[in-house]
Amino acid sequence: MAADKQNEAKVAAFDENKENSPDGGLGLEILQIIKDSQQQHGLRHGDYQRYRGYCSRRLRRLRKTLGFKMGNRHKFTGKKVTVEMLSDNRYLLLVLMEAERAWSYAMQLKQEANTEPRKRFHLLARLRKAAKHGERLEKLCESPCVDAKTKLEAQAYTAYLTGMVEFELQEWKPAMEAFNKCKTIYEKLASAFTEELAVLYHQRVEEISPNIRYCAYNIGDQNAINDLMQMRLTGGGGGMMAEKLEALITQTRAKQAATMSEVEWRGRTVPVKIDKARIFLLGLADNEAAIAQAANEETKEHLYETLLAECRDTIQAVREELKTEAKQRERGSDADSGKVSNLQFLHSYLTYIKLCTVVKRNESMAHTLQAKLKEPQTDENKRGPRPQDLIRLYDIILQSLAELSTLQGLEEDCTFQKEVALKTLVYKAYRCFFIAQSYVLVKKWSEALVLYERVLKYAKEVQSKAKSLNNSLKDLPDVQELIAEVNAEKYSLQAAAILGESTLFQLFYFLLCDRLETFRLDPALVGKQPNLVQFPPDFQPIPCKPLFFDLALNHVAFPPLDDKVEQKGKGGLTGYIKGIFGFGS
């Protein structure tokens, strides 16, 4: 908390001194200020409550600095910033922070409204309040003492807040007009400045573009759905637009699903009567195309997770129908228990899609990790990818392939079983290869060589079986590249195993304590594990402490001491009586 307040003080001092226009008028970098504040105070992690608290604290500091107090501790007296007060740009900043505080509160309520719907009314009230503060800022900026750039930024900011209000009210046409006005102003500002300054304006335009296309679609522009899908591929439409975009896509597919009645797979046509299954299967091709066209790995991973979540929900819906069908079969007497029903075959098809998607997702992640594994590691303190990470991914792939071979209705499909077996061999070879790589890292040459031989065995088996199944190798990794890489690794490992650590590795990694008189550049000395001394040190022979044994003691005869020992006399009756009466003591 103390660090946050120190950062706030620095940002406030910087912002309050930098917004003076070079032409002598008041200037305020509105978009720059709000973006910096949002990124530094919670919005990087979606924490609107933290940002709202920051806006309140900054407002209090500004009012105290400007002497713009709202009454005293006993009575509140409302005051508004007027044009006559504009002797300092901090008065404009005051109104801007009021708008940001109301907007952040509205976004906080939007997050909470998912579980508490009645908070939506409060949300709309705060958004209207933010738009009202934006209009006040725009009117203040119409003063002649404010420069032209600040006026344009104030108009764009007000249009953005107005568009947000109309968007939440589902007034699509006014919202679209407001967003278009905001977009036009920011595009003009971006074209008037250098590329470095224009980056921020272009980012703002990209943020509001999904809102514009969503409004256009709701107005009646059917072509806008294609633009929204393209924005989804490039990672646009985040934040408040993400849920609306997913709901829109589902709604569009639901309209098209009415015409879909059956699906064909593995030579069998299966009727599809469940609406959820229809919607999922109808959008399957679009989802796969979206994954293939994804702009980056992060977007691809998100699309894979979305597809898997939809597939799990669809499988659950089919499973519920299967339970109902099983009960009906128990009641019927003429049920054919030996044949796989259409609903069960549909369940197998959906499970096949899910498992294949898991395989593709993990294979994509494996390719990314392999590329990072080959890159040189610049930061030694940062943990980079290791072969063990890839082993885990290939374990999941092999587990999914094992489940594929047990799908109901495909036990007697020899072609399918051969394809699964061939894929299993390919991924076993890659898994074995990275296990060998992990042994290389710990310098276990013999184990690594044996595993490399196993990789070659798997690869040759794949090549021999692939002649009859050429179509099955289209989406699989190339085993020929794996064979070439294994052969190269084998030769270097054989040399290392023959030479051993004593000649190959200690040739370059002598201990520093053994060569103090000789200067040689050794990169290992500045690494994470410099070879300075051997620890623990080797054992060395040392002289033992002597032990003395007194062997003569057993043969010594001591002189008699009877005459030296005092003899006690034997007392009679007199002594006994003296002892009773105490005379002898």
Side-chain angles (χ1 to χ4, degrees):
M1 193 66 184
D4 284 347
K5 290 186 177 180
Q6 289 178 359
N7 291 333
E8 290 175 19
K10 291 178 182 178
V11 172
F14 174 73
D15 290 338
E16 290 162 8
N17 292 324
K18 77 174 183 178
E19 290 98 3
N20 290 322
S21 177
D23 58 1
L26 293 178
L28 194 70
E29 300 284 347
I30 295 176
L31 187 59
Q32 183 71 46
I33 290 172
I34 61 176
K35 283 297 180 184
D36 289 346
S37 301
Q38 289 173 1
Q39 289 298 310
Q40 293 177 19
H41 300 283
L43 261 63
R44 184 177 296 178
H45 311 291
D47 191 349
Y48 291 98
Q49 186 175 6
R50 178 185 166 192
Y51 181 58
R52 175 190 165 203
Y54 161 76
C55 293
S56 298
R57 292 191 298 273
R58 192 167 186 184
L59 275 171
R60 187 165 58 248
R61 288 198 305 270
L62 285 170
R63 286 173 180 150
K64 185 176 180 180
T65 305
L66 296 171
F68 193 76
K69 297 182 180 181
M70 300 289 194
N72 51 37
R73 66 176 63 185
H74 303 292
K75 184 179 179 181
F76 173 79
T77 305
K79 294 172 64 177
K80 292 184 178 180
V81 179
T82 60
V83 178
E84 292 77 14
M85 297 180 182
L86 294 182
S87 58
D88 194 328
N89 54 13
R90 286 177 291 184
Y91 285 103
L92 298 176
L93 186 59
L94 189 68
V95 182
L96 177 63
M97 284 295 107
E98 288 179 341
E100 282 294 290
R101 182 175 63 175
W103 173 82
S104 59
Y105 194 12
M107 294 298 102
Q108 176 189 342
L109 291 169
K110 185 175 180 63
Q111 291 179 337
E112 298 172 358
N114 294 327
T115 55
E116 301 176 60
R118 287 204 56 81
K119 288 193 174 182
R120 179 170 171 78
F121 297 104
H122 196 184
L123 180 159
L124 293 172
R126 299 315 298 176
L127 266 183
R128 291 191 184 97
K129 189 74 172 177
K132 186 177 179 181
H133 287 306
E135 292 172 359
R136 283 179 51 210
L137 178 63
E138 183 181 358
K139 289 180 180 179
L140 289 173
C141 290
E142 292 174 358
S143 171
C145 62
V146 179
D147 63 4
K149 179 184 175 184
T150 306
K151 291 178 181 178
L152 288 174
E153 285 207 35
Q155 292 174 10
Y157 182 67
T158 305
Y160 173 76
L161 293 177
T162 304
M164 293 288 287
V165 175
E166 301 295 343
F167 192 89
E168 285 298 322
L169 292 171
Q170 297 185 1
E171 298 289 340
W172 307 118
K173 191 171 182 180
M176 186 175 176
E177 292 174 356
F179 283 134
N180 277 326
K181 178 182 177 181
C182 177
K183 179 181 177 182
T184 303
I185 294 173
Y186 282 131
E187 286 176 346
K188 293 294 183 182
L189 286 170
S191 62
F193 293 96
T194 61
E195 186 174 353
E196 294 179 358
L197 296 174
V199 170
L200 196 63
Y201 298 120
H202 286 307
Q203 289 177 353
R204 190 66 156 185
V205 170
E206 291 176 2
E207 288 177 12
I208 61 177
S209 293
N211 299 45
I212 295 173
R213 301 310 300 162
Y214 189 82
C215 294
Y217 174 79
N218 284 282
I219 290 173
D221 185 1
Q222 297 298 324
N223 296 326
I225 186 64
N226 298 326
D227 297 335
L228 288 171
M229 291 290 292
Q230 192 63 32
M231 290 176 184
R232 183 192 180 205
L233 298 182
T234 56
M240 65 178 294
M241 273 297 298
E243 296 178 3
K244 291 183 179 294
L245 183 55
E246 293 296 335
L248 175 62
I249 293 171
T250 304
Q251 181 183 358
T252 305
R253 289 174 183 168
K255 293 178 181 178
Q256 299 173 355
T259 60
M260 182 181 182
S261 60
E262 59 186 19
V263 63
E264 184 177 355
W265 181 58
R266 307 300 299 182
R268 179 173 173 176
T269 303
V270 181
V272 183
K273 300 178 181 179
I274 304 173
D275 292 336
K276 199 160 194 174
R278 288 180 181 177
I279 295 171
F280 172 74
L281 292 173
L282 193 66
L284 181 61
D286 294 336
N287 285 326
E288 291 177 347
I291 291 170
Q293 300 172 11
N296 49 53
E297 292 299 326
E298 184 179 354
T299 305
K300 184 181 290 188
E301 180 67 21
H302 172 70
L303 292 174
Y304 269 126
E305 292 298 331
T306 303
L307 177 58
L308 285 172
E310 293 177 2
C311 190
R312 292 189 195 100
D313 294 341
T314 307
I315 291 173
Q316 184 61 34
V318 175
R319 200 170 288 154
E320 295 295 331
E321 292 293 327
L322 277 173
K323 292 179 182 178
T324 307
E325 186 185 56
K327 292 179 180 179
Q328 293 176 354
R329 281 191 175 189
E330 291 176 359
R331 296 172 186 170
S333 58
D334 57 344
D336 187 6
S337 59
K339 184 180 179 182
V340 177
S341 65
N342 289 330
L343 197 59
Q344 182 62 55
F345 199 76
L346 177 62
H347 182 270
S348 297
Y349 177 45
L350 293 171
T351 307
Y352 169 81
I353 294 172
K354 184 192 77 170
L355 294 174
C356 288
T357 305
V358 171
V359 170
K360 291 177 183 177
R361 181 197 63 181
N362 284 278
E363 187 180 356
S364 174
M365 294 170 64
H367 284 312
T368 305
L369 281 177
Q370 287 179 39
K372 292 181 179 179
L373 199 61
K374 295 178 181 179
E375 294 177 357
Q377 188 174 353
T378 56
D379 189 2
E380 295 183 355
N381 296 324
K382 185 179 180 181
R383 179 190 177 277
R386 298 180 300 174
Q388 288 85 341
D389 302 331
L390 287 156
I391 294 170
R392 175 59 183 158
L393 291 176
Y394 283 110
D395 281 337
I396 298 173
I397 290 175
L398 291 173
Q399 183 181 353
S400 300
L401 291 174
E403 293 180 21
L404 275 176
S405 61
T406 60
L407 290 177
Q408 291 189 7
L410 300 174
E411 298 90 343
E412 299 179 358
D413 191 337
C414 298
T415 305
F416 178 78
Q417 296 294 338
K418 288 180 180 179
E419 290 176 358
V420 173
L422 184 64
K423 292 177 181 179
T424 302
L425 282 175
V426 173
Y427 292 114
K428 274 186 177 180
Y430 273 90
R431 177 181 176 272
C432 192
F433 173 76
F434 289 108
I435 293 176
Q437 292 279 59
S438 65
Y439 276 109
V440 170
L441 291 179
V442 294
K443 301 176 184 178
K444 293 186 177 181
W445 319 119
S446 302
E447 291 86 346
L449 282 171
V450 172
L451 288 168
Y452 280 143
E453 291 294 339
R454 179 67 62 87
V455 173
L456 293 177
K457 176 186 174 184
Y458 284 140
K460 290 176 182 178
E461 193 173 350
V462 168
Q463 288 180 334
S464 63
K465 292 184 177 180
K467 295 177 182 178
S468 59
L469 297 170
N470 291 328
N471 294 331
S472 302
L473 289 175
K474 290 181 179 180
D475 299 330
L476 292 177
D478 189 6
V479 293
Q480 192 62 40
E481 294 181 2
L482 183 62
I483 292 174
E485 192 170 357
V486 168
N487 287 328
E489 291 286 340
K490 273 180 59 181
Y491 298 140
S492 61
L493 278 186
Q494 287 170 352
I498 293 171
L499 293 175
E501 294 187 5
S502 59
T503 57
L504 181 64
F505 290 93
Q506 291 184 3
L507 180 64
F508 302 100
Y509 296 101
F510 290 111
L511 297 176
L512 181 63
C513 64
D514 296 336
R515 53 179 179 84
L516 293 175
E517 304 298 329
T518 304
F519 175 76
R520 185 172 63 84
L521 292 175
D522 189 355
L525 294 178
V526 295
K528 291 182 69 175
Q529 297 179 345
N531 295 317
L532 304 178
V533 295
Q534 183 178 353
F535 186 83
D538 294 333
F539 290 103
Q540 295 181 359
I542 59 173
C544 183
K545 182 179 179 180
L547 299 176
F548 296 97
F549 298 95
D550 193 354
L551 302 178
L553 181 62
N554 298 329
H555 304 281
V556 173
F558 292 97
L561 301 174
D562 296 338
D563 56 337
K564 303 293 184 182
V565 179
E566 183 181 355
Q567 295 292 331
K568 292 184 178 181
K570 295 181 179 180
L573 182 59
T574 307
Y576 178 71
I577 295 173
K578 289 180 180 180
I580 292 176
F581 293 100
F583 297 132
S585 59

